[in-house]
Amino acid sequence: MNWGSTGINVPPLRPQVRPSLFGDNVPSRDITTAGRISAISPDLKNPTVTFVKVAGQVVARVPFVEVDRLGLRVGATWSSMLAKTCEQVWMTYESRETCIKLMAVREHTSVQLVAKLKSKGVNHEVASRVVEDLKKEGVVNDERAAEAIAHSEGKKGSSATKVKARLRSAGAGAEVALKADKKQAKEAAQKLVEKLDGRLAKTTKWRRVMSGLARRGFDEDTARAATRSLLGAEPE
Amino acid sequence: MVRMPSIAQLEKLLQADPQDPFVLYGLAQEHAKRGDTAQAVLFYDRCLAADPMYLYAYYHKARALQQAGRTEEALATVKAGGHFATRAQDAHAARELSTLQDELA
């Protein structure tokens, strides 16, 4: 059909413009966009976080406490170097927050936390540094985490072999794992002693606790130590 | 055959009292766990000979026999266990054994 012949003036087709997330006139979301910082405003959802803006566009997020140290102020030059520094600071902050959230749910070993951060895309160096700092502050404690794992597995009735495997996969060191194993053996022995008929001879009690611990996968020395701690010296 | 540490430990404990039903039952369970039905049944029998009222042993012996396809023997074990459970007035054990008997029948 020839529209021209009808005499109607049809406007030429224009490409459809979709507004972007940051408005129509944002040329790029490159965080290294050079220029001067136009605003430093708090994140209303999280006051500990501050947005850094250049030409009204958010170019970085940094923890509020780092603003001064990084020399961030309105009018300061926004360089690619500063952008990179802010990105690293943010990654460290986010990693730390992630660790604290995970620790609030349950104890984690440092190996578990580093693995978790790496799975979220944090590089090994940053992940290790963050976890090391949390260890120094006492937030992360491998020994405590190993004990928590052993206790929780013990409650589920897992064998010592399974607990050892869990501790190994959680990255608990040999010494830490051994300590947790001894504690778990004592808890298991306690449960066994509670079930024993009090009228049984000491020798029988010893043998029954020892066999119960053997069946739960504790080695002889660990079982003997746990039994001794509850029933006293081994009968002749 | 490679002996598992727990079996070796239990055998050592058994030497102190070869008639301890608790240790005999433990050994039976360990063998059953490793799929060695013949040895498991042997120790269940020794356990029941030492203490016919060890009701768990009837149940687990029957289970081991059932898994080995020896249903008739499993049924006989369950029936014997049910008899002792009634005698001991252990309602819980009697119920468990009765359920297993229905399953086997």
Side-chain angles (χ1 to χ4, degrees):
Chain A
M1 187 184 290
N2 183 3
W3 285 102
S5 64
T6 60
I8 300 169
N9 188 17
V10 180
L13 283 170
R14 278 191 295 182
Q16 193 182 359
V17 177
R18 289 183 180 197
S20 76
L21 206 60
F22 290 89
D24 291 343
N25 299 323
V26 179
S28 150
R29 290 191 59 203
D30 180 8
I31 60 155
T32 61
T33 305
R36 289 189 181 279
I37 296 172
S38 60
I40 294 172
S41 50
D43 178 354
L44 297 175
K45 287 179 191 163
N46 183 357
T48 61
V49 175
T50 305
F51 289 127
V52 180
K53 293 179 181 176
V54 171
Q57 179 193 351
V58 176
V59 289
R61 281 180 297 178
V62 287
F64 176 73
V65 290
E66 297 283 2
V67 170
D68 269 355
R69 192 179 70 80
L70 293 166
L72 299 171
R73 56 188 163 74
V74 174
T77 307
W78 180 250
S79 63
S80 60
M81 177 74 93
L82 188 55
K84 208 172 170 184
T85 309
C86 286
E87 201 183 337
Q88 277 182 349
V89 167
W90 179 250
M91 195 184 272
T92 305
Y93 169 81
E94 261 200 323
S95 301
R96 196 182 153 85
E97 290 291 297
T98 302
C99 287
I100 289 168
K101 276 180 199 162
L102 288 168
M103 293 295 289
V105 178
R106 64 171 175 83
E107 293 277 0
H108 286 71
T109 62
S110 44
V111 170
Q112 284 178 317
L113 287 175
V114 169
K116 200 87 180 174
L117 291 176
K118 280 167 81 176
S119 75
K120 287 179 182 288
V122 179
N123 69 50
H124 183 78
E125 197 195 328
V126 173
S128 303
R129 187 160 28 86
V130 167
V131 173
E132 206 50 47
D133 285 348
L134 289 170
K135 256 174 111 171
K136 281 180 198 158
E137 291 167 32
V139 177
V140 176
N141 184 321
D142 284 347
E143 203 172 298
R144 218 169 49 209
E147 269 178 24
I149 291 169
H151 182 71
S152 120
E153 288 294 329
K155 258 172 53 181
K156 282 192 256 172
S158 304
S159 69
T161 319
K162 192 179 170 193
V163 176
K164 277 177 206 160
R166 279 272 290 120
L167 289 173
R168 246 197 322 272
S169 70
E175 205 177 308
V176 170
L178 186 70
K179 213 169 167 184
D181 189 39
K182 281 182 181 169
K183 197 170 175 194
Q184 199 211 352
K186 202 170 167 185
E187 281 173 13
Q190 179 70 51
K191 279 185 196 164
L192 288 163
V193 168
E194 281 165 15
K195 284 183 194 166
L196 284 178
D197 183 346
R199 292 167 297 179
L200 288 172
K202 192 177 177 183
T203 325
T204 313
K205 281 183 183 171
W206 249 87
R207 198 166 48 245
R208 293 197 174 177
V209 174
M210 284 289 284
S211 61
L213 292 176
R215 287 190 56 209
R216 281 162 182 77
F218 292 104
D219 66 70
E220 205 177 331
D221 290 342
T222 311
R224 183 166 281 117
T227 311
R228 193 184 300 117
S229 71
L230 293 166
L231 296 178
E234 189 171 2
E236 288 299 314
Chain B
M1 192 178 92
V2 180
R3 279 202 179 149
M4 300 305 288
S6 54
I7 289 184
Q9 283 179 58
L10 289 166
E11 280 176 347
K12 209 168 152 185
L13 289 163
L14 191 65
Q15 281 171 13
D17 179 5
Q19 296 302 313
D20 189 335
F22 191 86
V23 180
L24 288 165
Y25 173 75
L27 272 162
Q29 287 285 84
E30 288 303 297
H31 284 295
K33 217 191 304 178
R34 284 158 182 82
D36 189 349
T37 311
Q39 279 293 306
V41 170
L42 193 85
F43 280 105
Y44 284 129
D45 285 342
R46 280 182 66 184
C47 168
L48 292 170
D51 180 5
M53 301 304 276
Y54 209 104
L55 301 173
Y56 292 115
Y58 292 101
Y59 182 88
H60 287 285
K61 182 189 165 188
R63 276 272 181 231
L65 289 167
Q66 182 197 19
Q67 274 163 18
R70 294 156 65 180
T71 316
E72 287 300 313
E73 291 168 78
L75 204 52
T77 305
V78 163
K79 279 179 185 167
H83 166 72
F84 282 105
T86 312
R87 232 173 79 177
Q89 296 183 327
D90 188 335
H92 178 73
R95 198 169 49 246
E96 297 265 317
L97 285 159
S98 161
T99 309
L100 183 55
Q101 189 175 339
D102 292 345
E103 200 181 300
L104 291 163

